[in-house]
């Protein structure tokens, strides 16, 4: 499945934006234009699916803070809204989820003041004959279309800050909701990796089969061990590590209780180096390698400023990593680096999207109101 489009309105600097997406999406722009807000909008769709929507909004400072701070049109309610449209290329079926949330009314005691109050939620499915709503929320009531095509009330009501979709994610009676939720739940967001002395990347991790890298990188050593043990070898990973880290080689052994991240460096053939001894840049590059070359890949990998603390000489190998991953996964990259953006444009045959601000609101150069782009090379 592929994320075809996303939209957001009144969320921070995203006044009202809808954007069609490609297999590889690269966003570049100055500080504060709203690149991370766009990335966060996707994370919030995932949070809605996983039942963490209220938590994530509260953690950002609360509903009032996240609402667009600029002027609203007359009669326009104070609502943040997000939508994601997903297509299953094998069946041609598409799904669209929409959620809108607002502030707690002053006299309503249900729900806490920081929390979003979910006002609307729908999931529609289009099998080629136009969209059909399969889940709808009306206040606390949740309605699901049954196999005979009728909307039926679901047995449970949603609390004001709960999302209906998360309550239905595992309901056998709502298979389309389940399919959408499984897809969105698998997205992975990597926003910097800690490299300080106490970083989880520097510690051995439990030796548990790890087909994917955790978002904090905590199972990094186990991710490499999983590839090595299950494939017997990992020539692509070895080649990229040697290229980026001056001939260094990962030393991966079949783990017992714990998996260790170790490197052998050509200048010091008599001993191996432990993750606590790697430089910040070396460690971060290895984490990106694991994120992008793990045994499996998530259907969508989003990287926020992956170039952070990498020397420009590492950007070509990083672009190689991303381009290889793009054969298995949809990619979303936010970057400040013109070199990285250019390298990705060359490898993936795409246009980088330039994020700008217009009247305080986030926009993308060359984008029409419909969310399509003028460059016309993206089908
Ligand atoms: N509630 C809000 N209403 C309007 N604008 C907001 C709101 N909250 C935050 N912003 C704006 O969003 C901007 C931050 O956006 P974001 O973090 O996405 O920037 P960025 O492009 O990722 O920048 P950087 O490259 O520095 O990481 C800030 O300039 C801030 O003014
Ligand atoms: Mg940012």
């Amino acid at each position: 499945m592929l994320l075809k489009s996303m939209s957001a309105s009144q969320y921070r600097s995203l006044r009202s934006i809808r954007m069609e997406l490609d297999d590889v999406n690269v966003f570049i722009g100055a500080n504060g234009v709203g690149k991370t807000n766009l990335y966060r909008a996707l994370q919030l769709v995932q949070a809605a699916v996983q039942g963490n929507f209220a938590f994530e909004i509260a953690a950002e400072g609360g509903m009032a803070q996240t609402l667009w701070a600029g002027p609203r049109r007359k009669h326009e309610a104070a609502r943040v809204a997000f939508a994601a449209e997903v297509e299953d290329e094998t069946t041609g079926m598409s799904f669209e989820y929409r959620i809108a949330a607002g502030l707690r009314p002053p006299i309503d005691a249900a729900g806490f003041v920081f929390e979003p109050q979910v006002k609307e939620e729908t999931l529609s499915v289009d099998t080629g004959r136009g969209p059909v709503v399969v889940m709808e929320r009306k206040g606390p009531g949740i309605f699901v279309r049954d196999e005979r095509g009728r909307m039926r009330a679901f047995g449970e009501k949603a609390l004001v800050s709960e999302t209906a979709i998360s309550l239905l994610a595992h309901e056998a009676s709502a298979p389309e909701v389940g399919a959408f939720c499984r897809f969105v739940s698998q997205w992975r967001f990597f926003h910097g990796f800690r490299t300080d002395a106490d970083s989880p990347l520097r510690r051995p991790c439990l030796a548990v089969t790890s087909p994917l890298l955790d978002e904090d990188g905590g199972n990094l050593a186990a991710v490499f061990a999983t590839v090595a043990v299950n494939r017997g070898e990992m020539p692509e990973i070895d080649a990229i590590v040697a290229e980026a880290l001056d001939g260094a080689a990962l030393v991966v052994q079949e783990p017992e209780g714990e998996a260790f991240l170790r490197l052998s460096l050509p200048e010091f053939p008599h001993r191996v180096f432990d993750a606590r001894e790697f430089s910040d840049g070396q460690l971060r590059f290895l984490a990106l390698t694991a994120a992008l070359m793990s045994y499996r890949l998530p259907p969508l990998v989003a990287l926020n400023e992956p170039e952070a603390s990498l020397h420009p000489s590492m950007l070509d190998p990083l672009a190689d990593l991303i381009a290889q991953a793009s054969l298995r996964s949809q990619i979303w990259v936010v970057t400040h680096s013109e070199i990285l953006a250019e390298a990705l444009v060359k490898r993936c045959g795409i246009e980088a999207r330039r994020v700008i601000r217009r009247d305080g609101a986030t926009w993308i150069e060359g984008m029409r109101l419909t969310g399509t782009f003028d460059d016309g090379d993206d089908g």
Side-chain angles (χ1 to χ4, degrees):
M1 286 215 253
L2 207 64
L3 177 64
K4 298 291 288 180
S5 74
M6 59 86 71
S7 67
S9 56
Q10 291 193 54
Y11 171 66
R12 294 174 166 253
S13 62
L14 310 182
R15 168 75 188 86
S16 175
I17 190 162
R18 174 184 185 279
M19 170 170 50
E20 301 211 332
L21 297 166
D22 295 321
D23 296 353
V24 179
N25 303 276
V26 176
F27 300 95
I28 188 160
N31 290 120
V33 291
K35 302 178 299 297
T36 298
N37 292 342
L38 281 168
Y39 167 102
R40 275 294 290 165
L42 276 194
Q43 277 186 307
L44 287 166
V45 169
Q46 186 183 56
V49 160
Q50 295 179 330
N52 310 320
F53 185 73
F55 179 89
E56 292 293 329
I57 296 271
E60 285 186 21
M63 191 61 211
Q65 297 289 314
T66 62
L67 267 169
W68 160 250
R72 271 193 301 278
R73 280 188 288 275
K74 229 177 162 180
H75 309 303
E76 190 182 21
R79 299 262 164 101
V80 299
F82 304 98
E85 187 201 354
V86 157
E87 188 181 87
D88 184 341
E89 311 98 310
T90 49
T91 60
M93 202 158 132
S94 64
F95 299 74
E96 186 172 46
Y97 173 66
R98 313 187 73 87
I99 178 168
L103 297 160
R104 185 183 75 160
I107 45 167
D108 182 356
F112 306 129
V113 75
F114 262 33
E115 292 187 298
Q117 312 285 291
V118 180
K119 307 284 185 186
E120 286 167 40
E121 248 184 298
T122 54
L123 180 74
S124 25
V125 173
D126 190 341
T127 54
R129 282 181 280 169
V132 174
V133 173
V134 294
M135 178 209 85
E136 185 166 27
R137 179 205 189 118
K138 287 180 184 155
I142 304 174
F143 300 86
V144 184
R145 196 170 297 281
D146 67 16
E147 63 277 19
R148 297 169 67 186
R150 282 184 306 222
M151 290 303 271
R152 283 190 178 278
F154 179 59
E156 207 154 347
K157 298 218 181 303
L159 294 170
V160 280
S161 68
E162 269 182 327
T163 52
I165 196 154
S166 66
L167 295 175
L168 289 171
H170 304 288
E171 273 301 314
S173 60
E176 293 97 345
V177 178
F180 177 81
C181 290
R182 268 194 303 284
F183 171 70
V184 171
S185 291
Q186 291 170 38
W187 296 347
R188 292 271 159 130
F189 297 87
F190 297 103
H191 185 166
F193 290 104
R194 275 180 57 194
T195 54
D196 57 282
D198 294 327
S199 158
L201 277 64
R202 295 193 188 274
R203 287 197 298 264
C205 64
L206 283 178
V208 176
T209 298
S210 300
L212 295 176
L213 183 68
D214 292 344
E215 288 182 348
D216 71 352
N219 61 348
L220 176 56
V223 167
F224 289 125
T226 300
V227 177
V229 168
N230 287 282
R231 299 227 171 95
E233 51 173 15
M234 39 183 216
E236 295 92 355
I237 293 178
D238 291 338
I240 215 130
V241 169
E243 185 195 348
L245 307 184
D246 295 325
L250 281 168
V251 180
V252 183
Q253 285 155 346
E254 179 156 354
E256 290 178 9
E258 288 183 318
F260 296 87
L261 186 66
R262 293 190 176 120
L263 275 180
S264 119
L265 305 176
E267 303 91 327
F268 305 100
H270 301 301
R271 85 168 177 87
V272 289
F273 287 76
D274 176 273
R276 282 168 304 186
E277 302 170 291
F278 302 172
S279 78
D280 294 347
Q282 288 172 327
L283 193 58
R284 211 162 255 159
F285 189 85
L286 291 172
L288 288 163
T289 305
L292 294 161
M293 295 191 111
S294 47
Y295 186 80
R296 269 193 212 107
L297 276 190
L300 177 108
V301 182
L303 306 169
N304 200 349
E305 298 186 31
E307 75 278 8
S309 84
L310 298 186
H311 184 267
S313 65
M314 292 237 201
L315 298 181
D316 265 335
L318 174 59
D320 287 335
L321 266 178
I322 296 173
Q324 284 188 40
S326 75
L327 304 175
R328 299 201 277 158
S329 191
Q330 194 173 11
I331 305 283
W332 178 297
V333 179
V334 173
T335 182
H336 281 142
S337 165
E338 293 283 351
I339 302 173
L340 178 63
E342 202 39 56
L344 289 170
V345 164
K346 218 161 71 198
R347 282 167 181 74
C348 305
I350 48 132
E351 300 257 338
R353 304 295 178 209
R354 296 204 172 262
V355 187
I356 50 173
R357 283 181 83 143
R358 286 198 323 204
D359 302 328
T362 299
W363 196 252
I364 312 231
E365 254 178 41
M367 191 171 77
R368 300 187 198 103
L369 281 175
T370 54
T372 54
F373 291 91
D374 291 328
D375 43 66
D377 64 342
D378 46 5

